[in-house]
Amino acid sequence: MHPLIDVPALARLLRHDPPPVLLDVRWHLAGPPGIDSYRQGHLPGAVFVDLDRDVAGPPGDGGRHPLPAPADFEAAMRRAGVSGDRLVVVYDDADSTAAARLWWTLRYFGHDRVRVLDGGFRAWNEAGRPVTDEEPAVKPGDFIARPARLPVLDAEGAASLAKAGTLLDARAAERFRGETEPVDPVAGHIPGARNAPTVGNVGVDGRFLPPALLRERFAELGATDAVDVGAYCGSGVTAAHEILALTLAGIPAALYVGSWSDWITDPANPVATGNT
């Protein structure tokens, strides 16, 4: 199944019976909570999913957004109406950063029918499609979480991949270089990683670049389907966006879920700064 869906295609599917399960996962690292945006207006029938509470476990040694426990994720998705045999469409504000993390997590736990609304709420709203502030009545789903359906990396695996394959750092360039670190207590990057900020995966409208352009972008960074590829970021959210972009480019890749916030919990792990 193609991982993206556009506004016209989603509008057509929403006229079907049953329609896809719509999950609103708007999330802001800084700013108002996503639930506030949801309550102000969302796609008709959409259910809000909290990224911090539902799509990640509690912060700790595994980083700021570690994988949720299978039972916890299963319960959260069932509350949102997710079933194993029903298409799920996820969206966020525009650039799919949070939506990609939910897309990846659902697939990691065994749901194969998941798509991301390309351009998110902004694209839907700008197309003049209906928006509502009414929260739907949700029939609980029967989703069963079966973990380990996608490849993941731990700190040791990320270090090895940076040497033997291609490890992409999805954070902004100034964070990669260690010039600033607004979230984590240590600045820098994993030695051997290559910087590929997620902002380069999308256009100004928040939609993903065409696959050919994504393949060209990643090839320049040494990421192709001929080598082992992985991605990390600050806490495993924007890195999931990188995995989605790599998937569109036809490049399999593993996610370091704990990412930089996990890497720096071990003082023995080396830290690099600058462009290399």
Side-chain angles (χ1 to χ4, degrees):
M1 174 170 289
H2 195 281
L4 299 182
I5 188 169
D6 62 18
V7 168
L10 176 58
R12 289 192 296 271
L13 286 179
L14 290 177
R15 294 194 289 268
H16 290 187
D17 186 20
V21 175
L22 268 180
L23 302 181
D24 182 316
V25 66
R26 280 180 279 182
W27 173 81
H28 313 108
L29 183 60
I35 186 63
D36 292 350
S37 298
Y38 173 81
R39 287 170 175 161
Q40 290 171 7
H42 52 266
L43 275 64
V47 178
F48 181 72
V49 172
D50 188 293
L51 187 144
D52 294 311
R53 181 192 65 215
D54 301 327
V55 195
D61 291 342
R64 287 185 281 109
H65 289 106
L67 276 170
D72 293 341
F73 186 70
E74 178 178 290
M77 292 301 99
R78 288 188 174 195
R79 287 194 303 270
V82 175
S83 295
D85 60 351
R86 190 172 169 191
L87 175 66
V88 178
V89 176
V90 301
Y91 72 89
D92 56 26
D93 281 316
D95 66 4
S96 301
T97 296
R101 171 62 187 251
L102 180 52
W103 165 84
W104 184 91
T105 309
L106 277 163
R107 293 183 65 238
Y108 174 85
F109 283 108
H111 201 304
D112 296 325
R113 304 190 64 211
V114 188
R115 304 181 77 176
V116 173
L117 177 59
D118 198 18
F121 180 81
R122 184 203 302 172
W124 179 269
N125 197 37
E126 289 179 349
R129 300 290 180 173
V131 171
T132 182
D133 60 3
E134 296 182 5
E135 298 188 23
V138 181
K139 179 182 178 181
D142 61 8
F143 173 67
I144 298 174
R146 300 181 176 92
R149 300 304 179 93
L150 291 178
V152 295
L153 298 169
D154 57 12
E156 182 179 358
S160 297
L161 189 58
K163 297 175 182 177
T166 299
L167 181 65
L168 300 178
D169 185 318
R171 297 173 299 164
E174 59 271 19
R175 291 182 71 189
F176 175 83
R177 293 191 296 264
E179 296 168 359
T180 183
E181 181 44 67
V183 185
D184 293 305
V186 178
H189 62 268
I190 298 174
R194 305 180 187 187
N195 192 212
T198 52
V199 67
N201 296 330
V202 298
V204 294
D205 58 0
R207 294 178 174 88
F208 280 91
L209 300 179
L213 291 181
L214 290 171
R215 282 193 295 272
E216 180 180 337
R217 178 186 192 225
F218 290 126
E220 292 176 352
L221 294 163
T224 70
D225 59 2
V227 300
D228 291 333
V229 178
Y232 77 97
C233 58
S235 66
V237 176
T238 55
H241 188 280
E242 199 94 296
I243 298 293
L244 177 50
L246 286 158
T247 300
L248 294 170
I251 304 169
L255 176 64
Y256 181 10
V257 182
S259 285
W260 185 247
S261 60
D262 172 65
W263 179 267
I264 60 175
T265 60
D266 184 348
N269 286 334
V271 171
T273 56
N275 287 316
T276 59

